[in-house]
Amino acid sequence: MVFVHLYLGNVLALLLFVHYSNGDESSDPGPQRRAQGPGPAPTLGPLTRLEGIKVGHERKVQLVADRDHFIRTLSLKPLLFEIPGFLSDEECRLIIHLAQMKGLQRSQILPTEEYEEAMGTMQVSQLDLFRLLDQNRDGRLQLREVLAQTRLGNGRWMTPENIQEMYSAIKADPDGDGVLSLQEFSDMDLRDFHKYMRSHEAASSELVRNSHHTWLYQGEGAHHIMRAIRQRVLRLTRLSPEIVELSEPLQVVRYGEGGHYHAHVDSGPVYPETICSHTKLVANESVPFETSCRYMTVLFYLNNVTGGGETVFPVADNRTYDEMSLIQDDVDLRDTRRHCDKGNLRVKPQQGTAVFWYNYLPDGQGWVGDVDDYSLHGGCLVTSGTKWIANNWINVDPSRARQALFQQEMARLAREGGTDSQPEWALDRAYRDARVEL
Amino acid sequence: MVFVHLYLGNVLALLLFVHYSNGDESSDPGPQRRAQGPGPAPTLGPLTRLEGIKVGHERKVQLVADRDHFIRTLSLKPLLFEIPGFLSDEECRLIIHLAQMKGLQRSQILPTEEYEEAMGTMQVSQLDLFRLLDQNRDGRLQLREVLAQTRLGNGRWMTPENIQEMYSAIKADPDGDGVLSLQEFSDMDLRDFHKYMRSHEAASSELVRNSHHTWLYQGEGAHHIMRAIRQRVLRLTRLSPEIVELSEPLQVVRYGEGGHYHAHVDSGPVYPETICSHTKLVANESVPFETSCRYMTVLFYLNNVTGGGETVFPVADNRTYDEMSLIQDDVDLRDTRRHCDKGNLRVKPQQGTAVFWYNYLPDGQGWVGDVDDYSLHGGCLVTSGTKWIANNWINVDPSRARQALFQQEMARLAREGGTDSQPEWALDRAYRDARVEL
């Protein structure tokens, strides 16, 4: 019974993207023990993690033959670095050119009714939902408790104002104080909520992510500059070639004037019910949720931006992480259109500079632990001009065994198949049609 | 000329215990390159540093045969852990008993005129001194800029009130605003200042450190419980036996009611002009300043304290470290008699619990880097009862080569000499007569 309750909690939490740590780890087997596959699982060595030392620390590295680079520590939480001149101006221009040739698509379109359907089939009682939303357990839903559940917006970014508008439209908050009692919440018909959301088409400025992007292949046979950049990333991260080569292609992103990306984390939470997009080939198909497992983000600035467009880390090096002090009833620090100036750390785009950080904490055994809450980041409003960046994500499965099986399987496919079945191509195909993630 | 200026700055800084980072590292050879000794220097492997993961993280360790222990992360800056039940109640009582048998001495007596003499022979101009004190470079000395130079008090803890009293006594601040202009500072006769300090005998409550302590030998031939504790510390820290065995003996400290120790760091700053107390045997004798080089502090609580006596880490996990925001004109967060309640982290004494932390940052090459400013800590006022603790310091020389030579030399002495010349005895003798450090 406890297990069922925990399970339901996890699934709900996943659906609502709640970040919490489950203190009772002994009651579920965890992904590490659930991964299965053919043959004995090989073991993988410890994952490299650069030392931060302290904010402002600089180290010299040799990544290319003709010059030195300097890596500067920007924060320890998340473990975040900057490296000026990682790409040459020519390389930046080439990446933009290749992306334009391939064509970019909207990064986010308003999703279908998937979410509503999922909620319908879940048969979750309204009381359970209330309990999950009521984080401070005071028996009332504050505005910020609703704001915290970004998924409720179903792709639309929620502000205190539009939640109050919605309450007013569906008459959910008769006393108009912005707080829902359990009674007021129970009286609400969730179908009215969904109807309201459907009836109000969101402008792109009202979405979580307002940009265009495309993917550029970096595997064998790719443009030699794309190959060179992958090799440079490999030297930078000091991870194994297998991990880097089997990671996502390069995502090139264009933010037009007015573009933004509200603060988010690049990886989904680590639950037994999740599988990683990059290793799903070897995962148990019955696991219900798929998420990105991005050990590192390596972000390149491809141009100088005329106005705005900084990358913000709202809680970098905060003493504590507390979602509810991040999201106040009036100021939501995750809102990159309104509140970038209040974030702890902002990086101004500079052509050729790379920033990179770790999205997971270590687990203490040389592998990946929990998602690092402090890795929360976003793209600030571009107030003038266009902003071009590229993301080189390094994928690692939090299940060491599943990552090992995946690498083994991809190596086997590469040996057996022809050029068309090379691992990178398979991966590129998978990502080409990937659904847009929030 | 630049070098001379830097050198003078370093020496002055050492004298005044200023903590600053010297940005121009290339202009001095650094202690690493200065250490010299007989024969080729052996190299030492990387120093172990436990992973903090995140605040609240717990890991199980097996340190003794009959039970498990749990190490809990208390902060990342400094890297600080707690381990309940590290000592049994019986072991705690035995340590107190052994210390009482040996006899404890005052931890601090008001020092001699050494300091005054040193200042006299330095021939530092009053203008240079002013520039060093004027941290914010506004051409005026605020109270907190004077407070920051703890050494000016020459063992006496300075408060805003007693600095103002002193100004008034030696007529240093005619306008009585608590701020000295360059003119007011130049008009001041430093001899009046020293005369004033000498004429006012400090009560023990006015000292930096108000406690009694003694040293207990832990090397070969020591009480088997003392040996067992050293072995347990060795397993806990995962450092080499050579490093742990060649560290200081156990310091047992008693704080009576009214006892305290204002916030301080356990290691001196890393400058080329310093040598470590524990390795001075192999150091260049002409190096003018000696300091403690304590890679780790392992602190045991030996009893439960009736009132007060917490260990405070005023700036633990602060986003930034800024000495001048730590010391305000009115509230000095380092003052453990008045302001412990305002510190970021306090550990309540609990019999048998150990806390341990790293006093240095890593250098990125597997050895010791700069002193970690965040390791600032102190003993809060004991408001009721007596507090007993013990410090097991682990000594490492920031010069890897000098530490290696030291270990080599101590091993040679142990091989050549009889029982009386065993390394631990030599070390114990050295520490027995050690001057009281602030």
Side-chain angles (χ1 to χ4, degrees):
Chain A
M1 223 14 232
V2 171
F3 178 79
V4 171
H5 193 83
L6 272 175
Y7 184 83
L8 184 66
N10 277 352
V11 172
L12 263 174
L14 274 167
L15 205 64
L16 297 174
F17 257 38
V18 181
H19 298 274
Y20 73 94
S21 34
N22 181 347
D24 187 10
E25 289 178 351
S26 57
S27 69
D28 69 55
Q32 286 77 352
R33 276 153 279 175
R34 298 169 89 256
Q36 282 165 5
T43 51
L44 298 177
L47 288 173
T48 310
R49 204 176 158 87
L50 265 67
E51 276 188 304
I53 315 278
K54 66 176 173 182
V55 172
H57 181 264
E58 283 205 352
R59 82 194 73 196
K60 193 163 80 173
V61 284
Q62 183 107 43
L63 300 176
V64 291
D66 57 340
R67 62 163 289 191
D68 290 330
H69 283 93
F70 291 87
I71 303 182
R72 188 152 169 276
T73 304
L74 296 186
S75 72
L76 298 178
K77 297 190 295 185
L79 186 52
L80 167 68
F81 303 91
E82 179 185 57
I83 174 165
F86 184 80
L87 301 182
S88 69
D89 292 355
E90 199 186 351
E91 287 168 335
C92 290
R93 283 192 295 267
L94 176 89
I95 294 172
I96 293 175
H97 185 70
L98 289 176
Q100 284 171 326
M101 302 248 290
K102 185 158 178 182
L104 293 90
Q105 60 186 14
R106 274 194 173 282
S107 297
Q108 191 196 341
I109 45 172
L110 270 187
T112 60
E113 269 95 81
E114 255 177 64
Y115 163 78
E116 193 180 336
E117 278 166 27
M119 286 298 286
T121 57
M122 294 263 303
Q123 305 282 343
V124 180
S125 83
Q126 215 149 330
L127 179 61
D128 279 339
L129 189 58
F130 183 88
R131 283 195 186 132
L132 194 78
L133 292 168
D134 181 23
Q135 289 206 25
N136 65 2
R137 289 161 201 248
D138 69 347
R140 299 148 57 81
L141 290 189
Q142 279 75 24
L143 277 177
R144 55 188 184 158
E145 287 173 334
V146 179
L147 285 171
Q149 308 303 335
T150 314
R151 278 283 160 119
L152 285 178
N154 202 16
R156 182 199 303 259
W157 183 254
M158 294 187 297
T159 64
E161 291 77 13
N162 59 33
I163 289 178
Q164 288 203 291
E165 266 169 45
M166 184 267 289
Y167 283 171
S168 145
I170 67 171
K171 300 185 179 59
D173 178 29
D175 54 8
D177 63 352
V179 179
L180 297 191
S181 65
L182 176 55
Q183 189 59 52
E184 287 170 335
F185 188 83
S186 308
D187 290 346
M188 187 174 141
D189 188 336
L190 283 181
R191 283 169 305 183
D192 288 344
F193 167 71
H194 296 307
K195 221 178 287 169
Y196 173 83
M197 294 299 277
R198 263 203 311 276
S199 68
H200 287 68
E201 209 175 320
S204 54
S205 63
E206 294 173 306
L207 297 177
V208 172
R209 186 179 188 185
N210 180 16
S211 64
H212 286 71
H213 73 264
T214 191
W215 299 92
L216 295 183
Y217 178 63
Q218 290 187 284
E220 281 181 41
H223 189 291
H224 72 279
I225 297 281
M226 297 303 289
R227 288 299 291 157
I229 294 170
R230 174 150 279 182
Q231 292 309 309
R232 207 175 302 157
V233 166
L234 176 61
R235 290 184 76 129
L236 176 71
T237 62
R238 302 185 207 162
L239 292 165
S240 76
E242 290 77 18
I243 285 176
V244 175
E245 288 285 5
L246 294 174
S247 287
E248 296 172 63
L250 188 71
Q251 185 188 58
V252 184
V253 190
R254 185 187 73 224
Y255 294 89
E257 204 162 295
H260 73 273
Y261 192 171
H262 290 305
H264 60 282
V265 291
D266 281 355
S267 286
V270 180
Y271 291 134
E273 294 81 12
T274 52
I275 53 168
C276 298
S277 302
H278 77 290
T279 56
K280 66 180 171 188
L281 181 70
V282 297
N284 182 342
E285 291 291 329
S286 68
V287 172
F289 293 98
E290 184 185 322
T291 187
S292 299
C293 299
R294 292 160 172 165
Y295 179 56
M296 296 180 73
T297 300
V298 186
L299 186 159
F300 310 130
Y301 297 106
L302 303 177
N303 73 330
N304 296 314
V305 182
T306 315
E310 301 90 344
T311 306
V312 66
F313 295 81
V315 292
D317 280 335
N318 246 27
R319 180 143 72 98
T320 54
Y321 177 83
D322 173 15
E323 194 175 33
M324 284 298 112
S325 63
L326 177 68
I327 310 170
Q328 301 285 339
D329 283 354
D330 47 353
V331 174
D332 181 349
L333 285 180
R334 302 167 311 164
D335 190 319
T336 57
R337 294 185 73 85
R338 300 181 178 190
H339 301 304
C340 261
D341 57 317
K342 299 173 193 74
N344 284 352
L345 181 67
R346 276 176 305 286
V347 183
K348 191 176 143 66
Q350 181 158 24
Q351 190 175 43
T353 291
V355 287
F356 63 99
W357 66 90
Y358 295 82
N359 293 304
Y360 292 86
L361 298 169
D363 70 346
Q365 268 102 51
W367 204 252
V368 166
D370 290 334
V371 167
D372 187 352
D373 293 326
Y374 294 91
S375 71
L376 188 80
H377 65 283
C380 302
L381 180 66
V382 176
T383 55
S384 169
T386 300
K387 170 186 171 188
W388 285 92
I389 60 158
N391 291 305
N392 233 170
W393 283 298
I394 309 297
N395 303 105
V396 173
D397 195 313
S399 159
R400 199 171 197 158
R402 207 157 56 198
Q403 177 73 27
L405 280 172
F406 167 66
Q407 292 181 199
Q408 197 179 38
E409 188 67 8
M410 292 307 256
R412 191 181 62 77
L413 284 174
R415 275 195 312 273
E416 290 176 6
T419 47
D420 191 49
S421 67
Q422 281 187 357
E424 288 78 18
W425 284 110
L427 201 71
D428 197 26
R429 264 205 305 279
Y431 279 101
R432 201 187 308 141
D433 312 318
R435 64 184 174 77
V436 175
E437 288 195 65
L438 300 187
Chain B
M1 223 17 231
V2 172
F3 179 78
V4 171
H5 194 83
L6 272 175
Y7 183 83
L8 183 67
N10 278 352
V11 171
L12 264 174
L14 273 168
L15 204 65
L16 297 174
F17 257 38
V18 181
H19 299 274
Y20 73 93
S21 33
N22 180 346
D24 188 10
E25 289 177 354
S26 56
S27 69
D28 69 54
Q32 285 80 351
R33 274 152 280 172
R34 298 170 90 256
Q36 282 164 5
T43 50
L44 298 177
L47 287 174
T48 310
R49 203 175 159 88
L50 265 67
E51 275 188 304
I53 314 278
K54 65 177 173 181
V55 172
H57 181 263
E58 284 205 353
R59 81 193 73 193
K60 193 162 78 173
V61 285
Q62 184 108 41
L63 301 175
V64 292
D66 56 340
R67 61 162 290 191
D68 290 330
H69 283 94
F70 290 86
I71 303 181
R72 190 154 167 274
T73 305
L74 295 186
S75 72
L76 299 178
K77 298 188 293 187
L79 186 53
L80 167 68
F81 303 92
E82 177 185 60
I83 174 164
F86 184 80
L87 300 182
S88 70
D89 291 356
E90 200 186 349
E91 287 168 334
C92 291
R93 283 191 297 267
L94 176 88
I95 294 172
I96 293 175
H97 185 69
L98 290 176
Q100 284 171 325
M101 301 248 291
K102 184 157 180 184
L104 292 90
Q105 61 186 15
R106 275 196 173 284
S107 298
Q108 191 195 340
I109 44 172
L110 270 188
T112 61
E113 270 95 79
E114 256 177 63
Y115 163 77
E116 194 180 337
E117 280 165 28
M119 286 298 287
T121 57
M122 292 263 303
Q123 304 281 346
V124 179
S125 82
Q126 214 149 328
L127 178 61
D128 278 340
L129 189 59
F130 183 87
R131 283 195 187 133
L132 194 78
L133 292 169
D134 181 23
Q135 290 207 23
N136 65 3
R137 289 158 200 249
D138 68 347
R140 298 148 57 80
L141 290 190
Q142 278 75 25
L143 278 176
R144 53 188 185 155
E145 288 173 333
V146 179
L147 285 171
Q149 309 303 335
T150 314
R151 278 282 161 118
L152 286 178
N154 201 16
R156 182 199 303 260
W157 182 255
M158 294 186 297
T159 64
E161 290 77 12
N162 57 35
I163 287 177
Q164 287 201 288
E165 265 169 45
M166 184 267 287
Y167 283 172
S168 147
I170 67 172
K171 300 188 179 56
D173 179 29
D175 55 7
D177 63 353
V179 179
L180 297 191
S181 65
L182 176 54
Q183 189 58 55
E184 287 170 336
F185 189 82
S186 307
D187 291 346
M188 187 173 141
D189 188 337
L190 283 181
R191 283 170 303 184
D192 288 344
F193 167 70
H194 296 307
K195 219 178 289 170
Y196 173 84
M197 294 300 275
R198 263 203 311 277
S199 67
H200 286 69
E201 210 177 318
S204 55
S205 63
E206 294 173 307
L207 297 177
V208 172
R209 185 177 188 186
N210 179 16
S211 64
H212 287 72
H213 73 264
T214 191
W215 300 91
L216 296 182
Y217 178 62
Q218 290 186 284
E220 278 180 43
H223 190 289
H224 73 277
I225 298 282
M226 297 303 289
R227 288 300 291 157
I229 293 170
R230 175 150 276 183
Q231 292 310 308
R232 208 176 300 155
V233 166
L234 176 60
R235 291 184 74 130
L236 176 70
T237 60
R238 300 185 208 161
L239 292 165
S240 76
E242 289 77 17
I243 284 175
V244 175
E245 288 287 4
L246 293 174
S247 287
E248 295 172 64
L250 188 71
Q251 185 188 60
V252 184
V253 191
R254 185 188 71 224
Y255 294 89
E257 204 162 293
H260 73 273
Y261 192 171
H262 290 304
H264 59 283
V265 291
D266 281 355
S267 286
V270 179
Y271 291 133
E273 293 80 13
T274 52
I275 54 168
C276 298
S277 303
H278 76 291
T279 56
K280 64 178 170 187
L281 180 71
V282 298
N284 182 342
E285 290 292 328
S286 68
V287 171
F289 293 99
E290 183 185 323
T291 186
S292 299
C293 299
R294 293 160 172 165
Y295 178 56
M296 296 181 73
T297 299
V298 185
L299 185 159
F300 310 130
Y301 296 105
L302 302 177
N303 73 333
N304 297 313
V305 182
T306 314
E310 301 90 345
T311 306
V312 66
F313 295 81
V315 293
D317 279 336
N318 246 26
R319 180 144 72 95
T320 54
Y321 177 81
D322 172 16
E323 196 176 31
M324 285 298 112
S325 65
L326 175 69
I327 309 170
Q328 301 285 341
D329 283 353
D330 48 352
V331 174
D332 181 350
L333 285 180
R334 302 167 311 164
D335 189 319
T336 57
R337 294 186 72 85
R338 300 181 177 190
H339 302 304
C340 262
D341 57 316
K342 299 173 193 75
N344 284 353
L345 180 67
R346 276 177 304 289
V347 183
K348 192 176 141 66
Q350 181 158 25
Q351 190 175 42
T353 292
V355 287
F356 64 99
W357 65 90
Y358 296 83
N359 293 304
Y360 292 86
L361 298 170
D363 70 345
Q365 269 103 49
W367 204 253
V368 166
D370 289 334
V371 167
D372 187 352
D373 293 326
Y374 295 91
S375 71
L376 188 80
H377 65 282
C380 302
L381 180 66
V382 176
T383 56
S384 168
T386 301
K387 169 187 171 186
W388 285 92
I389 61 158
N391 291 305
N392 234 170
W393 283 299
I394 309 296
N395 303 104
V396 173
D397 196 314
S399 158
R400 201 172 196 156
R402 205 156 57 197
Q403 177 73 27
L405 281 172
F406 167 66
Q407 292 181 197
Q408 198 179 37
E409 189 66 9
M410 291 308 255
R412 191 182 61 76
L413 284 175
R415 273 194 313 273
E416 291 175 6
T419 46
D420 192 48
S421 66
Q422 282 189 357
E424 288 78 18
W425 284 111
L427 202 71
D428 196 25
R429 264 204 306 278
Y431 279 103
R432 202 187 307 139
D433 312 316
R435 65 184 173 78
V436 174
E437 288 196 65
L438 300 187

